[in-house]
Amino acid sequence: MKTAGVVITYNRKELLAKNLEMIFCQTVLPDAVYVIDNHSSDGTEEHLRNLGYLDNSRMRYIYMNENTGAAGGFEYGVQVAYEAGYDWFWLMDDDGRPADSLALERLLDFANDQIQSNPYVMVNSLVTCAEGRMTFLTFGTFDEEEVKRRAVDGIIWNEIDPFNGTLVSRELIGKLGYPIGAFFVKENEFDYKVRAKNVGAVIATVVDSVHFHPQANQNYRKILGFTFRYKIEDPWKEYYRVRNKTYIFRREGQHLKVAKLLLSRFRAILLADCKKRETMKMLRRGFSDGRAGRLGITIRP
């Protein structure tokens, strides 16, 4: 069975090079590595050529005519690799990288065992940052050793941090279709996990396969002796976060989660030292567009 790596990049040539260095030192090499360059302007192609990556027979470098966002990049990259006939698809963006040379081998060992009983497979490396912390979408951020203690025989079932060292079977892509590029940025990976769960896919994290990824910035504010944690990004990013999650939750009939999403973003805006009026405006617009199903690139960075 053949494996294709799919890496999305935009103006991160140094980080991309570190990623590729780790990909090409795997004990089990992917048969091809598709690098989808989302119209970088930092000399990414020249940098890769100087490092010799473009001479590698396994390398498939594709320069996009425009920046389609991470969502558009993953949609196109998965489509191209799928149409080329590969069996496994190893997905990641440019600012993360496999932690060691065994990451893919350990994923494939587990995934090939699972596919014997269920063709729909989406498994992940354990995502950690350099400080020995990792973030999971459901149960928070924990020390590495604590997360490993939660594992059963080295596996954390039904939980992944998708598109950060994520291995997906051909059969699952055939069932789901490609990631939704119309999200542009934010939540396309969350959507793919939701859709995979809906069809009964194997969802699991293999803790002995590790993937480094920078930890999202967390902010803290003390009020009346209590410490509140929050995360806030640029107004345009908050727009896409709210729009895309609103769309997903409404599609899934999870209307209470839409309300919780809006409350969490209101809270972050109140706590943050940010452009409050502009961010609030983007939040309202994101909710309106998500509710109406208006996807696509509606706001440029």
Side-chain angles (χ1 to χ4, degrees), residues 146-211:
E146 183 175 351
V147 170
K148 287 184 176 181
R149 285 195 295 270
R150 290 169 175 251
V152 177
D153 296 327
I155 304 299
I156 299 174
W157 293 98
N158 299 316
E159 186 55 64
I160 62 173
D161 193 352
F163 296 7
N164 292 308
T166 306
L167 191 68
V168 184
S169 67
R170 180 177 186 84
E171 291 80 3
L172 182 57
I173 293 172
K175 179 70 172 180
L176 300 182
Y178 307 125
I180 298 176
F183 285 138
F184 184 51
V185 297
K186 297 290 181 189
E187 315 307 339
N188 59 300
E189 67 275 43
F190 170 71
D191 170 73
Y192 217 56
K193 182 180 78 169
V194 169
R195 290 158 59 195
K197 284 187 173 181
N198 287 346
V199 299
V202 174
I203 305 288
T205 292
V206 181
V207 298
D208 285 339
S209 174
V210 181
H211 189 88

Side-chain angles (χ1 to χ4, degrees), residues 20 31 39 56 61 106 152 261 299:
L20 292 174
D31 297 276
H39 205 70
N56 191 311
Y61 175 78
R106 288 170 171 167
V152 177
L261 169 69
I299 296 177

Side-chain angles (χ1 to χ4, degrees), residues 234-259:
D234 292 338
W236 71 270
K237 289 185 178 181
E238 291 296 329
Y239 163 81
Y240 283 108
R241 183 198 309 278
V242 170
R243 186 197 71 175
N244 295 341
K245 272 202 164 180
T246 296
Y247 173 84
I248 295 165
F249 289 148
R250 286 180 60 83
R251 184 193 67 201
E252 300 298 311
Q254 298 172 333
H255 302 289
L256 182 58
K257 287 188 176 181
V258 176

